[in-house]
Amino acid sequence: MSLTAVVLAAGLGTRMRSPMAKVLHPLLGRPMVRWIVDALQAQGANVVVVVHHHEDQVRAALAHAGVRFARQSAPRGTGDALLSALPELPDGGPVLVTAGDTPLLRPLSVARLLAEHRGQATVAAFEARDPVGYGRMVEGIGIVEEAACTPRQRLIRLVNSGFYVFDAAYLRRRLPTLQPHPPKDEYWLTDLVDAEAKVVSGFLEEEFLGVNDRAALAEARDILSRRINREWAAEGVEFDSLDHAVVEASVRLEPGARVGYGAVLRGTSHVGGDVGEQCVIVDTHIEAGAWVRAGSVCEGAIVRSGAIVGPLARLRPGARVESGAHVGNFCEVKNATIHSGAKVNHLSYVGDANIGAGSNFGAGAITCNYDGVRKHHTEVGAGVFIGTNVALVAPVSVGDGAIVGAGSVVGQDVPADAIAVGRPELKIHPGRAEKLRARKRAAKG
Ligand code: UD1
Ligand code: MG
């Protein structure tokens, strides 16, 4: 039987103090509402999202999620929100209903509530550490909203999670009959959960953490992050700390990969190698056997097996560090390939370039790739020695086996096996240092 799920996401989210729709705030690389949609779709549900506030943003963010939308003309409460989804519901069979701001609900719990569903309404309940704000589960009545609770009922800690399974025919019959509650004249979905409804308790409070402000958003991030890290650890990934590493949902890791303390892995990154402490890795492929050392920032790069990057290196889009190549501290590489065994070890910028196999790119050597208007290419062959502080003024090439002396400014092509050196003349004045110092001290007074 086909299964429909409704996500109520028409609320404003005032407490986020954000120009963005609450349900679109990102959690580990995905909009919040996407987590709940995924959890429902993982159980084979056809998802309907109820929208109103920030409607266009929410529709756009879910454009490729394979969901349908229902529009609530004004937010008049959860009962009214579900009523606006009625045209999208089947005539019979189970309908899951949940809020759009509870991103921690797990597919496992969706499956559990579905399996336990009997009759017309089934609700997931949990013991809240602090029940304030929740509807209370009251025996012989159903759900009593906090505003309607007697002082005794207020002490009940078993609360409504806001996650339900209803029989579609029951919804068709009952939703149009809901009556508004003063003073705000809201229609409460909870009125459909009466004494006959089945209450399923024992759910984790954590799964129903409602993200209403940015503190809760950060808390949700911590919980989700730990969940993801645990799953990868079970797959054979080594973590220095489960709490102090962020691996976005879209990242792929291989068994044997290592994620150092404080590392952040984002986007389409794929990591088989070793990522050191405090690295930020975005859309980057780090092969097994590669080592990206502490504090490096890599974006849109490829690091092959046996390569070493960092500590404190920066790889920008199009950087390729081939097998056995090294990119060391305070080096920046952009749109450039460092071929096998080549070394760019200290304080260099390599942009729009090839550094050939086995070449050495000296400390502080720089490709001058930008002339103020356009970018130009630098080609360094195999087995080349580029001395310290060389400036390669692109477009330029240095042939295989050539040597370029320290401090040279290379503005024309260097043939293979040549030596190129160009330095201003160095003048030495023996014994004059003390004289100069004395003059400077006198001037200072
Ligand atoms: C609701 C339940 C409460 C439960 C709690 C669990 C009701 C009346 N109360 O209270 O029993 O313990 O959730 O978190 O349902 N929404 C709309 N349109 C509206 C109003 C709300 O789409 O007109 C959406 C919101 O965007 C939100 C969800 O419905 O995602 C829940 O609404 P909210 O106002 O947060 O309900 P609670 O007061 O938390
Ligand atoms: Mg709420």
Side-chain angles (χ1 to χ4, degrees):
M1 192 191 308
S2 88
L3 172 66
T4 303
V6 182
V7 177
L8 308 180
L12 183 54
T14 323
R15 282 168 289 172
M16 293 298 280
R17 300 190 176 204
S18 165
M20 191 196 283
K22 169 163 93 170
V23 294
L24 297 187
H25 278 260
L27 267 180
L28 296 166
R30 278 188 198 156
M32 194 196 301
V33 65
R34 192 65 202 251
W35 284 94
I36 193 95
V37 166
D38 285 1
L40 296 166
Q41 287 179 336
Q43 299 307 318
N46 299 309
V47 176
V48 179
V49 180
V50 179
V51 291
H52 174 79
H53 284 293
H54 299 294
E55 181 184 349
D56 296 343
Q57 281 179 18
V58 179
R59 281 176 187 265
L62 292 174
H64 303 292
V67 304
R68 284 174 292 152
F69 295 94
R71 188 168 195 286
Q72 192 183 9
S73 56
R76 282 181 293 255
T78 49
D80 180 65
L82 190 55
L83 180 67
S84 46
L86 210 52
E88 302 294 331
L89 301 187
D91 292 329
V95 175
L96 284 156
V97 178
T98 183
D101 63 352
T102 53
L104 301 177
L105 180 60
R106 293 174 307 163
L108 199 75
S109 299
V110 177
R112 180 172 168 224
L113 196 69
L114 266 173
E116 300 255 11
H117 172 61
R118 298 287 179 278
Q120 305 187 313
T122 302
V123 56
F126 65 91
E127 286 282 339
R129 270 167 304 201
D130 176 5
V132 169
Y134 290 110
R136 312 296 204 278
M137 305 308 309
V138 181
E139 278 219 49
I141 300 180
I143 300 172
V144 180
E145 286 302 292
E146 176 152 285
C149 275
T150 64
R152 259 189 107 76
Q153 289 169 340
R154 238 170 240 161
L155 298 177
I156 297 172
R157 283 175 52 203
L158 188 67
V159 300
N160 169 24
S161 68
F163 176 41
Y164 322 83
V165 187
F166 292 104
D167 173 58
Y170 176 70
L171 291 179
R172 290 195 171 283
R173 200 168 65 244
R174 289 290 313 278
L175 273 175
T177 70
L178 283 178
Q179 295 301 311
H181 289 266
K184 293 194 199 157
D185 288 334
E186 282 181 338
Y187 296 82
W188 293 351
L189 178 54
T190 45
D191 287 351
L192 298 194
V193 181
D194 55 21
E196 265 93 82
K198 182 167 180 193
V199 179
V200 182
S201 57
F203 287 88
L204 291 177
E205 177 164 15
E206 172 194 292
E207 291 196 51
F208 296 104
L209 172 75
V211 176
N212 296 313
D213 58 25
R214 300 212 201 202
L217 182 67
E219 214 172 300
R221 227 171 246 148
D222 284 345
I223 294 168
L224 267 179
S225 179
R226 194 165 219 281
R227 222 186 250 174
I228 291 176
N229 294 351
R230 279 194 85 91
E231 281 170 15
W232 283 121
E235 300 276 315
V237 174
E238 171 88 14
F239 281 83
D240 285 357
S241 159
L242 291 178
D243 286 326
H244 300 277
V246 176
V247 179
E248 285 189 350
S250 48
V251 170
R252 287 285 149 279
L253 303 178
E254 293 172 23
R258 175 190 164 241
V259 180
Y261 196 94
V264 178
L265 277 51
R266 296 195 190 284
T268 58
S269 293
H270 179 145
V271 175
D274 183 328
V275 174
E277 299 80 355
Q278 310 286 355
C279 286
V280 179
I281 309 297
V282 184
D283 303 338
T284 290
H285 186 177
I286 299 170
E287 290 186 351
W291 183 17
V292 177
R293 300 181 63 188
S296 296
V297 178
C298 305
E299 184 175 357
I302 298 174
V303 183
R304 298 272 182 221
S305 182
I308 301 177
V309 171
L312 297 165
R314 177 161 186 224
L315 303 185
R316 290 171 51 202
R320 299 169 70 98
V321 184
E322 296 291 339
S323 150
H326 292 184
V327 174
N329 40 258
F330 309 111
C331 291
E332 174 178 346
V333 178
K334 180 215 79 169
N335 186 32
T337 301
I338 315 300
H339 288 272
S340 302
K343 294 190 171 58
V344 180
N345 265 337
H346 326 271
L347 302 154
S348 284
Y349 171 59
V350 180
D352 304 307
N354 271 312
I355 308 298
S359 289
N360 186 81
F361 204 79
I366 299 283
T367 55
C368 311
N369 62 326
Y370 186 49
D371 62 11
V373 181
R374 290 168 53 204
K375 302 282 171 64
H376 302 281
H377 181 81
T378 299
E379 185 72 26
V380 172
V384 168
F385 180 89
I386 302 287
T388 298
N389 250 20
V390 165
L392 295 164
V393 185
V396 74
S397 70
V398 179
D400 293 349
I403 294 175
V404 179
S408 301
V409 176
V410 181
Q412 66 199 77
D413 292 349
V414 177
D417 297 318
I419 291 180
V421 61
R423 293 175 199 156
E425 189 197 345
L426 183 68
K427 292 188 179 121
I428 297 182
H429 307 286
R432 290 249 304 260
E434 189 43 41
K435 254 190 201 162
L436 178 64
R437 271 195 290 269
R439 211 165 65 223
K440 287 189 183 235
R441 277 196 288 265
K444 195 179 171 191

